[in-house]
Amino acid sequence: MATQSKAGKSSSTKPKAKAKSAAKAPASEKNQARTVAETAVDFPVGLVLGVTDRVTGLVEPFTDRSEAEKQIKAYRTQLRRTVKRTERRGATARRKATTEARKTRTRVEREARKRQRTVETSLKRNRAEVEQRVRKAIEEQTSRAQDLVDQVTDQLSSLR
């Protein structure tokens, strides 16, 4: 019987644990359901309150004439500052582009002058070289012609 009482005790504790976990499950499910329901209600309410705050913030400055004039003056000042800032940025960009274009033009002109000098120098050197070759060829031909004339003159003299 002692074994039966032990078995009876162990079996009696198991149903109690099952009963406790069964009681916990519906409670946690209830909590989850309540949380979901609260979220389903809280979200749209919070959204409406946020939109209300934003609309109030936009409309409130214009409810009183003096406040509306102040707000318009502030907007005008802000717009003027923004326009001035944009104008300064544009002027800075224009000056920068102009300076860059001037630098580029100067660099290209300098390179062109350098190449022109190189071509002119080469041309002068080649011209001098060609003139020298032509003079040398003329001198050689003149010398050869003179030799022929001298030879013919000698032959004529010997014939006489």
Side-chain angles (χ1 to χ4, degrees):
M1 280 199 136
T3 54
Q4 285 181 351
S5 65
K6 283 185 181 179
K9 281 186 178 178
S10 63
S11 63
S12 66
T13 56
K14 285 184 180 178
K16 286 182 183 177
K18 286 183 182 178
K20 284 184 181 178
S21 64
K24 284 184 181 180
S28 70
E29 288 175 7
K30 286 179 187 178
N31 286 340
Q32 286 179 343
R34 185 175 358 147
T35 304
V36 170
E38 287 174 353
T39 302
V41 172
D42 290 347
F43 182 76
V45 170
L47 190 64
V48 168
L49 289 173
V51 169
T52 305
D53 289 345
R54 292 183 102 186
V55 169
T56 302
L58 290 172
V59 173
E60 190 175 319
F62 299 103
T63 56
D64 184 19
R65 182 169 180 86
S66 64
E67 288 295 321
E69 288 174 354
K70 283 181 184 178
Q71 192 65 36
I72 289 172
K73 186 177 179 183
Y75 286 152
R76 189 179 298 132
T77 302
Q78 184 181 5
L79 179 63
R80 189 178 301 122
R81 285 179 182 161
T82 303
V83 167
K84 289 285 189 181
R85 185 180 311 119
T86 304
E87 186 180 352
R88 281 193 307 269
R89 287 184 70 197
T92 301
R94 178 182 42 81
R95 281 193 306 272
K96 195 173 187 178
T98 303
T99 302
E100 190 64 33
R102 194 170 29 248
K103 285 179 181 178
T104 302
R105 186 187 69 216
T106 303
R107 187 177 65 241
V108 167
E109 287 174 349
R110 187 180 315 121
E111 182 67 26
R113 284 192 303 269
K114 183 179 176 182
R115 288 181 183 193
Q116 184 177 2
R117 278 193 305 268
T118 303
V119 168
E120 287 174 352
T121 304
S122 267
L123 187 64
K124 285 179 184 178
R125 183 176 54 244
N126 291 344
R127 183 177 178 186
E129 189 178 315
V130 167
E131 286 176 350
Q132 184 180 5
R133 285 181 183 176
V134 168
R135 273 192 230 109
K136 187 175 179 181
I138 290 173
E139 287 176 6
E140 287 176 1
Q141 293 301 322
T142 305
S143 173
R144 193 179 291 162
Q146 187 62 44
D147 287 345
L148 285 174
V149 168
D150 288 343
Q151 191 179 14
V152 170
T153 306
D154 284 345
Q155 286 178 357
L156 282 176
S157 302
S158 68
L159 285 177
R160 291 189 188 171

